[in-house]
Each structure stands twice: as structure tokens, then as C-alpha cells.
Amino acid sequence: MTPALLASALLLFVTLSYASLCAASPFGNCRKCDGMGHAIKTDRKGRTKRGKDCRRCKATGKRIRVGRHLYNVAARLHRDGTR
């Protein structure tokens, strides 16, 4: 098998795997708060306490995956264009 064919097959496999992940689970954990929905702070004694709500995920702890966002944009564009 030539390297170009192997590389294209691997790229196709990775793309289809990510597409199936986005279809099965469109939301992933927020990267800023690690899925907790808020920051972790420590007080002066060193004990952990809850910090402010995460602004990126609006305190839900979840975010939409990039692939799912692109699919939603393409579907909306197609739907608006065929009305």
C-alpha cells in the first residue's frame, strides 16, 4: 500500500470516527472549567471553595463540539436556501 493511499485512508477513518462521535454525543465538557460549570478557588486557609460561574458554558459544564456546530451551520444554510 502506498503512503499516500494509507494517509488518505487514515484521514477518512479519523473523519468518520469524529463524525460518528458528534452524532452520538453532540456536547462535550467545557475546556475552561473541565465540565464543572464553575471555577475552583481556595480561601486564605487553603481550603477549596466554589468560584464564579463559567462564562464560556454559562455554568452548564457542557459545550457543543466543533463538528456538530459545523453540521448545524450547514444544515441551517441548506434549510434556509431550499425554502
Side-chain angles (χ1 to χ4, degrees):
M1 192 178 260
T2 64
L5 185 61
L6 183 64
S8 63
L10 182 65
L11 183 64
L12 181 65
F13 176 73
V14 169
T15 303
L16 291 177
S17 298
Y18 185 68
S20 64
L21 175 70
C22 289
S25 176
F27 295 98
N29 288 337
C30 178
R31 292 184 298 260
K32 185 174 182 182
C33 64
D34 294 326
M36 294 187 64
H38 56 83
I40 300 292
K41 288 179 31 175
T42 56
D43 61 2
R44 292 189 299 176
K45 293 182 181 179
R47 294 180 295 204
T48 59
K49 61 184 239 180
R50 189 180 196 282
K52 291 183 178 180
D53 288 343
C54 179
R55 295 186 328 186
R56 181 182 289 178
C57 65
K58 298 182 179 81
T60 61
K62 296 293 180 185
R63 63 168 177 84
I64 194 161
R65 294 186 194 275
V66 174
R68 185 62 184 210
H69 176 71
L70 292 175
Y71 173 77
N72 288 347
V73 168
R76 189 178 311 120
L77 182 65
H78 175 69
R79 187 174 52 246
D80 292 344
T82 56
R83 282 191 190 170

